[in-house]
């Protein structure tokens, strides 16, 4: 257990907790080395020894407070027997769905397919390097998973094929059931916090939020709380973070870089995470730290976990990450 959990529990902490989305990833040469020898990304996620090594890579370099398991939100479609590939310069590419077959998939089959992830968590949570630190497990939110499964690639807009799909409702229920299985197994294996990534929350109009975002995410958050584990929700670019927090009731909220942090600080009482634009890590040190300071000052009277408004970009120099972490840790 670490200071990120303490912060979410509203306890006082000695320094600002910090970790980064995509902290294990392509900006690290040691990751690229492993990745170049493992061309199948899903298989790499399903290799407990290698994914443990990748999970811990950023902790060997930086004084950060948590590891996030090296995995992907698209392992849920994979568990439901939809093929998932990553094409260079294209992103994820998913296969056709067989609804009838998909609905027959059992809990045993799902946990069997995803078992290497639970092995990874068991192996990693025992590692000395995570003493007094958190191990963050995660899932994609129901809406974001639904979009990937029906659109079969990252979406640009939300079309009728997604919102009016005759199998949409049944598929959502199957996704929720699978998310619960996956969260429960991650927690039993040693994940101390669960983050819920809703990367495509910003693409939905207000009138659809209840059905596709608030209702299913509330159910998942409630389920996770009942397991005794805290949730951080990241509904990227959602129209109103305040309304989302009031309805979904996550334990902490992760904000994107387009939302005005001053307004968020005024409106939201629960612990807040993130916000800084990852592009600042590509700029001069002075510019980067000035922006970091802005977030640290705005949230100085709040429970705040330092993080970015989206994942670290592949072009980032790891030395800048190091400088940023030191700055956050020394901030008083
Ligand atoms: O944050 C971490 O370090 C933990 C691991 C993690 C990955 N993906 C590894 C990954 C996490 C938490 C994710 C979440 C994820 N995956 C999201 C939600 C967050 C977000 O970015 O909005 C989404 C939408 C996905 C789906 C996904 N996976 C996409 C769109 C891509 C391709 C985009 C890209 O960056 O190339 C991936 C691949 C992926 N997942 C990589 C990593 C390190 C890059 C793999 C590679 O090509 O080497």
């Amino acid at each position: 257990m670490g200071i990120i959990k303490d912060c979410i529990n509203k306890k006082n902490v000695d320094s600002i907790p910090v970790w980064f989305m995509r902290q294990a990833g392509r900006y690290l040469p040691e990751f690229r080395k492993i990745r170049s020898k493992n061309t199948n990304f899903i298989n790499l996620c399903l290799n407990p020894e290698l994914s443990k090594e990748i999970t811990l890579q950023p902790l060997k370099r930086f004084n950060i407070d948590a590891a996030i398991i090296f995995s992907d939100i698209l392992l849920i479609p994979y568990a439901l027997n939809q093929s998932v590939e990553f094409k260079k310069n294209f992103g994820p590419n998913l296969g056709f769905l067989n609804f009838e077959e998909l609905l027959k998939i059992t809990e045993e089959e799902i946990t069997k397919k995803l078992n290497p992830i639970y092995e990874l968590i068991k192996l990693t949570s025992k590692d000395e390097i995570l003493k007094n630190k958190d191990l963050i497990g995660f899932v994609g939110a129901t809406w974001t998973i639904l979009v990937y499964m029906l659109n079969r690639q990252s979406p640009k807009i939300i079309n009728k094929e997604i919102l009016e799909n005759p199998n949409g409702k049944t598929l959502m229920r199957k996704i929720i059931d699978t998310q619960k299985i996956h969260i429960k197994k991650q927690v039993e294996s040693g994940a101390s916090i669960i983050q819920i990534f809703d990367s495509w929350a910003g693409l939905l109009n207000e009138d659809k939020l209840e059905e596709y975002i608030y209702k299913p995410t509330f159910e998942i958050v409630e389920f996770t709380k009942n397991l005794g584990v805290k949730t951080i929700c990241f509904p990227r670019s959602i129209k109103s973070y305040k309304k989302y927090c009031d309805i979904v009731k996550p334990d902490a909220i992760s904000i994107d870089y387009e939302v005005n942090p001053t307004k968020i600080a005024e409106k939201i009482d629960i612990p807040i995470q993130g916000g800084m634009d990852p592009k600042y890590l590509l700029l001069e040190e002075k510019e980067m730290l000035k922006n970091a300071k802005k977030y640290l000052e705005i949230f100085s009277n709040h429970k705040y976990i330092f993080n970015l408004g989206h994942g670290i970009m592949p072009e980032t120099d790891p030395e800048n990450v190091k400088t940023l972490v030191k700055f956050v840790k020394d901030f008083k």
Side-chain angles (χ1 to χ4, degrees):
M1 290 328 132
I3 65 169
I4 296 190
K5 204 169 159 193
D6 287 343
C7 177
I8 299 175
N9 281 323
K10 303 187 178 157
K11 290 189 191 151
N12 285 330
V13 284
D14 292 337
S15 61
I16 309 283
V18 52
W19 69 282
F20 298 101
M21 293 189 265
R22 290 279 168 99
Q23 62 187 24
R26 283 173 297 183
Y27 73 108
L28 290 178
E30 57 271 35
F31 169 78
R32 289 200 301 270
K33 197 170 161 202
I34 295 180
R35 180 74 169 99
S36 67
K37 292 188 217 136
N38 294 273
T39 47
N40 183 319
F41 182 74
I42 295 285
N43 285 350
L44 180 57
C45 292
L46 294 173
N47 179 326
E49 286 77 25
L50 282 181
S51 45
K52 176 190 169 185
E53 192 179 331
I54 297 170
T55 298
L56 296 180
Q57 280 173 348
L59 284 99
K60 292 184 177 148
R61 277 183 181 256
F62 317 121
N63 181 21
I64 45 181
D65 297 300
I68 178 162
I69 60 164
F70 178 74
S71 186
D72 199 273
I73 63 165
L74 299 178
L75 271 294
I76 284 193
Y78 165 84
L80 294 175
N81 284 346
Q82 185 175 26
S83 71
V84 181
E85 281 176 43
F86 289 86
K87 285 204 256 171
K88 227 183 170 149
N89 304 324
F90 179 80
N93 191 206
L94 288 79
F96 287 104
L97 280 178
N98 182 335
F99 281 103
E100 269 172 42
E101 291 299 314
L102 176 144
L103 296 177
K104 288 189 215 144
I105 299 171
T106 62
E107 174 160 356
E108 287 68 37
E109 286 167 316
I110 291 167
T111 51
K112 195 169 166 220
K113 279 193 93 171
L114 299 183
N115 197 52
I117 304 178
Y118 314 131
E119 288 303 315
L120 149 75
I121 298 177
K122 283 180 201 156
L123 280 176
T124 312
S125 60
K126 288 193 208 102
D127 200 286
E128 258 308 285
I129 200 169
L130 283 184
K131 211 174 156 229
N132 301 323
K133 293 187 190 241
D134 287 293
L135 180 58
I136 302 174
F138 66 86
V139 290
T142 313
W143 163 245
T144 287
I145 299 296
L146 180 78
V147 168
Y148 274 112
M149 290 185 79
L150 292 177
N151 198 56
R152 300 175 42 233
Q153 62 184 55
S154 298
K156 296 210 166 55
I157 49 154
I158 296 305
N159 51 29
K160 283 214 277 274
E161 280 72 49
I162 298 173
L163 295 178
E164 289 170 23
N165 191 297
N167 296 305
K169 290 245 174 356
T170 330
L171 179 57
M172 260 175 85
R173 183 37 57 193
K174 187 70 182 176
I175 295 171
I176 295 173
D177 294 344
T178 310
Q179 288 172 301
K180 289 183 179 172
I181 295 166
H182 193 36
I183 290 173
K184 185 158 176 273
K185 292 295 274 182
Q186 291 186 64
V187 168
E188 284 171 0
S189 308
S192 62
I193 294 172
I194 295 289
Q195 174 144 327
I196 301 169
F197 288 93
D198 211 347
S199 305
W200 303 115
L203 293 183
L204 265 184
N205 284 334
E206 184 70 40
D207 63 331
K208 299 285 180 203
L209 293 178
E210 174 66 26
E211 179 181 359
Y212 289 99
I213 294 193
Y214 299 152
K215 244 177 108 202
T217 319
F218 176 78
E219 187 176 336
I220 297 294
V221 165
E222 196 59 14
F223 175 83
T224 311
K225 283 183 184 168
N226 285 334
L227 298 173
V229 168
K230 299 289 173 186
T231 52
I232 306 174
C233 285
F234 179 40
R236 182 158 71 92
S237 304
I238 189 115
K239 308 276 180 306
S240 168
Y241 278 95
K242 162 79 175 139
K243 193 164 177 201
Y244 179 93
C245 288
D246 288 346
I247 300 175
V248 174
K249 301 186 171 54
D251 297 295
I253 185 84
S254 203
I255 57 170
D256 66 85
Y257 55 84
E258 280 167 326
V259 69
N260 179 330
T262 311
K263 288 199 177 134
I264 292 282
E266 280 164 14
K267 288 187 194 156
I268 296 181
D269 306 321
I270 65 169
I272 292 166
Q273 167 176 282
M276 177 170 163
D277 192 334
K279 283 186 219 72
Y280 278 93
L281 277 100
L282 309 179
L283 305 181
E284 269 181 56
E285 185 177 312
K286 220 174 114 194
E287 286 295 309
M288 170 178 82
L289 297 182
K290 196 174 135 197
N291 198 259
K293 191 162 175 249
K294 179 178 116 177
Y295 280 90
L296 291 166
E297 281 174 349
I298 289 172
F299 292 115
S300 59
N301 292 319
H302 247 85
K303 292 294 170 203
Y304 184 57
I305 302 162
F306 193 89
N307 201 318
L308 304 174
H310 202 192
I312 298 187
M313 300 168 85
E315 305 83 355
T316 307
D317 180 348
E319 282 307 307
N320 290 358
V321 179
K322 193 166 199 155
T323 309
L324 179 58
V325 172
K326 189 173 179 331
F327 182 78
V328 174
K329 282 291 160 199
D330 291 342
F331 185 81
K332 286 274 174 285

